[in-house]
Amino acid sequence: MVKKNQTLGEFIIENQEAFKYSSGELSRLINSIRLAAKVVNHEVNKAGLVDITGAVGETNVQGEEQQKLDVYANEKFIQTLTNREIVCGIASEEEDDFITICGQKENHQNKYVVLIDPLDGSSNIDVNVSVGTIFSVYRRKTKIGTPVTLEDFLQPGNAQVAAGYIVYGTSTMLVYTTGHGVNGFTLNPAIGTYYLSHPNMKFPEKGNIYSINEGNYLQFPQGVKDYLKYCQAEEGDRPYTSRYIGSLVSDIHRNILKGGIYIYPSTSKNPKGKLRLLYECNPMAYLVEQAGGKASDGYQRIMDIKPSSLHERVPFFAGTTSMVEDAEKFMEKYK
Ligand code: AHG
Ligand code: MN
Ligand code: MN
């Protein structure tokens, strides 16, 4: 049952039984993400005051420049999940390889692995624009009590048991699903508690926002170019309006609440798109579907893709079901 103004802590306890493998472990996991998110939030809020904006001077495994807050958020999430001995393995966008946790101590019984984009939209930090964190949880495939292997992380999105994001925006929200709809909790910074502010989040039936980095227009596949012209045409409920923050979390969050489509397609420069299947697309696809929307790579369901490597990328179309279906029709023409 959804009660407004419940705290996240109360909500987790109350809904624990609805989760089919419930043993309290997943609840403890969400709890530690909630804690790490508070710590990161505190730091993000100080950006501009202390020396935490800007680049570290290093690039991550994907050749992208790491921001100081990328590194900080990565450390905090990994530390919290490791210290509390809740998961058996972690994979992060900021780490070359996955991290094995079980095997170090007598905590071999942990069943879950977490995949995380610790700071999403990091190029927006320096200019005081919303950033986020994205997480995805799976049950391990290999035997409990043994060290995790790559197989535990390379599972299709449809095997996720939980996923969520934190948006560090004008207010901080934690939004997550365990497969029973999507619920959003807003942090009251004065007392450090998250309250259920957005119970059972659903896309409105229709949307009129399209979100894409149109600066790459000339590099888009013809299907995307044609769909954009369709969005801009003066016909029926169109033209749609264009909104693009450049933080996936914030763009998707807005589109769930208002109705819209987010597209990061393949481009001639990046034939597989930019977004990462395991850390960004799968968790967002799970949330989008649980909110009544649709997520695909333009042709097939994101969550049915079998991953082949930790950092693989995929084109991403996600949002209001009818809008994603329209975009897919344009893609289909040039298949
Ligand atoms: P990250 O900061 O984790 O690397 O992710 C950035 C992603 C995503 O948040 C955003 O939607 C997209 O990159 C923006 O890319 P462009 O600047 O190419 O539009
Ligand atoms: Mn990201
Ligand atoms: Mn990131």
Side-chain angles (χ1 to χ4, degrees):
M1 220 228 336
V2 184
K3 291 184 207 144
K4 226 183 154 171
N5 290 328
Q6 230 182 0
T7 67
L8 174 56
E10 289 164 358
F11 182 90
I12 290 173
I13 294 168
E14 204 160 291
N15 290 278
Q16 186 172 305
E17 258 120 65
F19 183 66
K20 64 178 172 184
Y21 309 110
S22 174
S23 65
E25 202 176 323
L26 186 70
S27 301
R28 288 197 294 133
L29 204 163
I30 306 280
N31 258 323
S32 51
I33 287 175
R34 153 180 89 153
L35 175 67
K38 267 194 243 180
V39 176
V40 172
N41 178 62
H42 186 67
E43 205 63 17
V44 167
N45 281 175
K46 286 190 293 189
L49 288 175
V50 289
D51 183 30
I52 46 163
T53 56
V56 205
E58 302 273 322
T59 54
N60 67 13
V61 59
Q62 300 156 72
E64 296 156 338
E65 193 175 54
Q66 281 183 310
Q67 304 291 312
K68 287 178 196 157
L69 271 172
D70 276 329
V71 175
Y72 181 85
N74 187 46
E75 267 173 29
K76 288 300 157 205
F77 278 98
I78 292 176
Q79 256 172 28
T80 314
L81 291 164
T82 311
N83 289 348
R84 295 187 153 200
E85 298 174 2
I86 293 164
V87 292
C88 51
I90 305 171
S92 161
E93 180 191 281
E94 301 299 337
E95 300 285 331
D96 300 5
D97 209 348
F98 62 84
I99 299 168
T100 305
I101 293 173
C102 87
Q104 292 169 354
K105 276 193 187 168
E106 289 309 305
N107 60 342
H108 295 197
Q109 296 313 305
N110 297 345
K111 297 188 285 289
Y112 297 105
V113 295
V114 172
L115 293 93
I116 191 156
D117 176 356
L119 206 78
D120 171 69
S122 48
S123 66
N124 276 326
I125 300 162
D126 294 1
V127 290
N128 204 356
V129 170
S130 297
V131 291
T133 294
I134 311 172
F135 63 91
S136 171
V137 183
Y138 294 83
R139 272 172 82 86
R140 62 181 303 171
K141 293 289 281 182
T142 50
K143 210 167 138 256
I144 293 177
T146 62
V148 284
T149 70
L150 191 57
E151 189 194 344
D152 296 314
F153 297 93
L154 298 187
Q155 300 190 50
N158 58 32
Q160 287 173 103
V161 294
Y165 59 78
I166 295 111
V167 52
Y168 311 99
T170 42
S171 58
T172 295
M173 279 189 73
L174 190 154
V175 175
Y176 81 101
T177 184
T178 54
H180 303 276
V182 179
N183 290 290
F185 301 81
T186 303
L187 178 67
N188 178 340
I191 49 177
T193 305
Y194 293 91
Y195 288 95
L196 180 59
S197 51
H198 295 63
N200 197 16
M201 289 166 69
K202 291 280 176 214
F203 280 93
E205 192 74 23
K206 288 181 126 212
N208 72 344
I209 295 173
Y210 71 96
S211 313
I212 186 167
N213 185 345
E214 238 169 313
N216 299 327
Y217 184 83
L218 293 178
Q219 295 184 30
F220 289 159
Q222 194 57 42
V224 172
K225 286 182 175 168
D226 289 2
Y227 176 66
L228 291 178
K229 289 298 152 220
Y230 167 85
C231 293
Q232 293 160 357
E234 288 186 323
E235 223 181 304
D237 58 350
R238 287 167 287 136
Y240 297 150
T241 193
S242 162
R243 289 285 183 276
Y244 188 74
I245 298 168
S247 290
L248 176 68
V249 167
S250 318
D251 279 307
I252 294 275
H253 181 69
R254 180 203 52 238
N255 288 2
I256 296 179
L257 296 178
K258 299 205 160 183
I261 184 170
Y262 177 94
I263 307 179
Y264 209 111
S266 58
T267 61
S268 39
K269 229 184 359 229
N270 298 307
K272 295 210 75 186
K274 178 185 184 190
L275 300 180
R276 287 133 284 214
L277 175 60
L278 296 180
Y279 313 110
E280 294 170 317
C281 302
N282 270 336
M284 285 308 194
Y286 191 23
L287 289 154
V288 162
E289 286 194 8
Q290 283 290 319
K294 186 168 182 177
S296 84
D297 68 353
Y299 306 103
Q300 59 164 330
R301 187 177 179 226
I302 286 290
M303 291 208 288
D304 288 340
I305 298 173
K306 173 82 187 99
S308 50
S309 68
L310 273 182
H311 298 290
E312 93 180 67
R313 296 170 195 262
V314 73
F316 194 49
F317 296 65
T320 303
T321 299
S322 57
M323 295 178 89
V324 174
E325 283 172 352
D326 284 342
E328 283 174 334
K329 280 180 208 143
F330 283 96
M331 293 303 287
E332 187 63 34
K333 283 192 198 156
Y334 301 94
K335 200 174 176 179

